[in-house]
Every structure is written in C-alpha cells, then in structure tokens.
Amino acid sequence: MNDKLVTNIRPLGFTWQTQDPFLFCVHHQDSYPAGTEEMGPDPATFKDRLIGQDFIPRDGWRMYHGETVPGFPEHPHRGFETVTVVLEGFVDHSDSHGAAGRYGEGDVQWMTAGSGLQHAEMFPLLHQDRPNPLELFQIWLNLPGKNKFVEPHYKMLWAEDIPTWREKDLNDREIAVTIIAGQLQDVKALTPAPDSWAEDADNEVAIWLIRLDADATWELPSSSAGINRSLYFYKGDSIRLAGLDLDPYHSADITAEQPVTLENGQEPAFLLLLQGKPINEPVEQHGPFVMNSKEEINQAISDYQTTSFGGWPWPRPDHIHPRESGRFALYADGRLEEK
C-alpha cells in the first residue's frame, strides 16, 4: 500500500470532518415510529427527552430542535450552501422568501444561502400506520468571497432525474455511482445552483453515492492534482482502500491524482465521496454564518437582527405541509414543480 494514497483515517461522529471546499457533513439516520395526527411522534414517548434540544438517539430517533415534529424549525444562514441528500423519508422546506417544498426518497435539495435567508427543515411522520424511517446527508459547501452575498436560491434535483453510472467488475459484481455533482466518465450530474463553487467544472466538485456489490472490486479513477477528496464508509461490512482496511463508519482522505482500488467485503458497501478544488480563502464561522472575516460575521449578526433576512411568512416556526401533499417545490418566483 502506498502511504500517500490514503491518509487521515478517522471514525465518523455526528458531524463529519471535511476538506475545503466543504465545511462539514451530517448523517441523519432515525428510525421514527408511526406518526400522530400532527405528523410527529406520540408525545408519550417524550419522557426524559430534552425537547427542543434532543440530539440523543434514544429508541433510535431524535427530535433535534423540534417540539412536535422532528427537525430544525426556522433558523438563518449566510455565506454558504446546503446540499441535502435524502435517502429515505421526507423533508418539508419553508423559507423566508416564501419558497417551500416536500422532498425525499432519493431527492436532493441544493440551496444557496448567499446574502441570507431563514428556513425550516422538518421531518414529518406521514405514515400513521407504520414506521417512518429517515436517512439523509446534509453537506455544507462553502462559497467563495465573491459569491457570499448573492441572491438566495434553491433548486431541486429530483430522484428520477439524478443520473447513475454503472459498471460490473471482472467477476460480474456491480458498482453503482449516483452522481449528485461532478462527472464520471460520460455520465454528468444535473446542473447545480447557479452561483455554486460546483457550477464551474474546473473546480471538479463531486458528490457521489457509491454502492458496491459484495466482493466487488473497483478502481476509483483519478482526478487532477491539488483536488481534495474524502471517502466516507457509512454502511457495510468491510472494505479495503489501496490495500488498507477501512472499518465501517470511518472516513479517509485519498489522493486525487492517482487511481485508488476499492475491494469490498462480504456485504454490499455504501460510501459517500466528497471532492473539490479548495477555495483557499479564510473561513470565519459563527454558527449558521460562514464568512471570510470576523467583521463580516459581525455584519451578518447585525443584518439578521435588523432584517430577519426577510422575516417569516409562515404561521409557525416549524411549518409543515399537509399530509396529503406529494413531493413538490414552490419557488420564490411563484414557479411550482410537482412530482
């Protein structure tokens, strides 16, 4: 094994360490029970939970900042992007610009906070007669200084439209790569948000969901020198990277300028790859604000206190949509997409 191919092996916690241009990644996996009429868990199960600040996965699920419905009620962002990849379950979006949506089961929301907005991300328990499992990644992708004050924007990458690259190894075992950002051979991702660092192909941003059949072998192709690349092994039995064992729920930074061989174990393996050219600018973060200087952070706090980034047009901070709503996106300009 070439020691330069694989570095910084580490266990995965609640938030995952990332490399520039990414800020961090969170893996939410909650085995929610059947929902109530209010689309939350039965309040009888709230005993000993710190409701409004519940991050302990008691009984396999968390309320997060939700008090009736799990999730993250009204909160602000400025200066970066969120890419929310929902593998299972649903998210209800509402924001201070009047945009809204429900997405899930493979959908991705790409949201540019830019100059600032408030939004809510709630996890409605739509099914009253069966469990409501939820699994998603939220990835924070930084914006360069020139784009930190762009107009807020979000777009949907619907599951039906997101491309998947497939190949079989010499033993007829499949490798499948869902390409949320970037390009693999002749398969190219959908267009990201217009002001994103990922919008310029020269930045080589890649967000890939990789699935390997049991005992499959795949050579992850190289990218350019100077590109940061991290691999997160979030589900499976065992895997080897360039001859080095990587335990489940661990990550590793891997070289981009050389191919790296992945050898899977006896169960299907699921990995997330994050890659990109570093922005190489100062990062000053204060909670939900990510800027280039302390002065810009102070300005963000002042602007939020003064303007509330457009206020809150919804009847409650943890706004959710009617149970019967399907997957949809309502944009700030009034456009409506329904799936």
Side-chain angles (χ1 to χ4, degrees):
M1 191 274 294
N2 185 338
D3 291 339
K4 295 181 179 179
L5 294 180
V6 181
T7 58
N8 297 328
I9 293 176
R10 61 181 75 88
L12 295 173
F14 177 65
T15 59
W16 296 356
Q17 187 172 335
T18 56
Q19 300 184 83
D20 187 2
F22 298 95
L23 296 164
F24 71 80
C25 177
V26 178
H27 182 210
H28 293 286
Q29 188 166 22
D30 292 278
S31 299
Y32 290 117
T36 63
E37 187 64 32
E38 291 74 29
M39 289 183 273
D42 185 341
T45 64
F46 290 179
K47 184 180 179 181
D48 299 326
R49 289 184 181 272
L50 190 59
I51 294 300
Q53 240 0 299
D54 177 27
F55 284 80
I56 299 173
R58 187 178 288 111
D59 300 323
W61 53 273
R62 296 156 284 201
M63 288 294 291
Y64 301 105
H65 292 305
E67 297 185 2
T68 303
V69 176
F72 297 85
E74 170 192 0
H75 60 281
H77 290 304
R78 172 180 276 185
F80 65 100
E81 300 187 289
T82 60
V83 182
T84 307
V85 182
V86 185
L87 304 179
E88 187 176 21
F90 294 92
V91 176
D92 275 7
H93 167 88
S94 309
D95 70 37
S96 54
H97 291 245
R102 171 171 291 164
Y103 60 98
E105 302 296 335
D107 297 329
V108 176
Q109 185 201 61
W110 198 302
M111 190 188 81
T112 305
S115 61
L117 86 169
Q118 296 189 73
H119 75 153
E121 304 161 285
M122 306 307 299
F123 310 144
L125 308 188
L126 302 181
H127 306 301
Q128 294 179 275
D129 58 347
R130 62 183 188 273
N132 291 271
L134 175 81
E135 184 175 12
L136 65 83
F137 299 110
Q138 185 165 96
I139 301 158
W140 285 23
L141 175 61
N142 203 6
L143 287 167
K146 67 184 181 68
N147 285 348
K148 285 192 177 293
F149 290 92
V150 297
E151 185 72 16
H153 174 92
Y154 97 88
K155 70 177 298 182
M156 287 305 309
L157 312 180
W158 299 109
E160 296 90 337
D161 304 325
I162 297 172
T164 297
W165 175 92
R166 299 180 188 275
E167 180 179 86
K168 291 195 174 181
D169 67 11
L170 295 177
N171 295 310
D172 204 38
R173 296 182 173 92
E174 186 178 70
I175 302 94
V177 182
T178 301
I179 303 174
I180 296 163
Q183 183 169 348
L184 178 55
Q185 295 182 7
D186 59 347
V187 180
K188 186 176 181 180
L190 301 172
T191 304
D195 296 300
S196 176
W197 187 246
E199 195 273 335
D200 186 344
D202 289 343
N203 295 329
E204 298 188 50
V205 173
I207 301 174
W208 296 351
L209 297 172
I210 302 169
R211 183 193 182 280
L212 304 176
D213 274 353
D215 299 315
T217 299
W218 182 47
E219 186 174 82
L220 177 65
S222 63
S223 188
S224 302
I227 300 297
N228 287 335
R229 178 181 269 184
S230 299
L231 198 61
Y232 303 86
F233 180 27
Y234 66 93
K235 188 186 301 183
D237 170 55
S238 63
I239 203 165
R240 291 174 67 82
L241 302 179
L244 183 69
D245 290 330
L246 184 68
D247 291 333
Y249 226 69
H250 279 66
S251 69
D253 298 337
I254 55 180
T255 188
E257 55 262 39
Q258 295 184 50
V260 173
T261 300
L262 282 65
E263 302 169 273
N264 192 23
Q266 297 180 354
E267 297 180 5
F270 298 83
L271 305 101
L272 170 69
L273 179 138
L274 298 180
Q275 169 191 292
K277 179 181 178 180
I279 295 173
N280 283 330
E281 292 180 358
V283 174
E284 193 72 38
Q285 180 173 354
H286 180 80
F289 306 137
V290 182
M291 307 303 293
N292 292 120
S293 68
K294 289 183 179 178
E295 291 76 17
E296 288 179 334
I297 289 292
N298 292 337
Q299 186 63 53
I301 295 170
S302 176
D303 290 348
Y304 175 59
Q305 291 173 339
T306 302
T307 70
S308 299
F309 292 159
W312 191 249
W314 307 99
R316 46 190 268 190
D318 60 345
H319 184 70
I320 53 175
H321 309 304
R323 186 188 305 276
E324 61 273 15
S325 295
R327 296 154 58 222
F328 75 95
L330 173 65
Y331 297 100
D333 62 5
R335 288 180 300 118
L336 176 65
E337 294 177 355
E338 294 182 291
K339 303 299 286 188

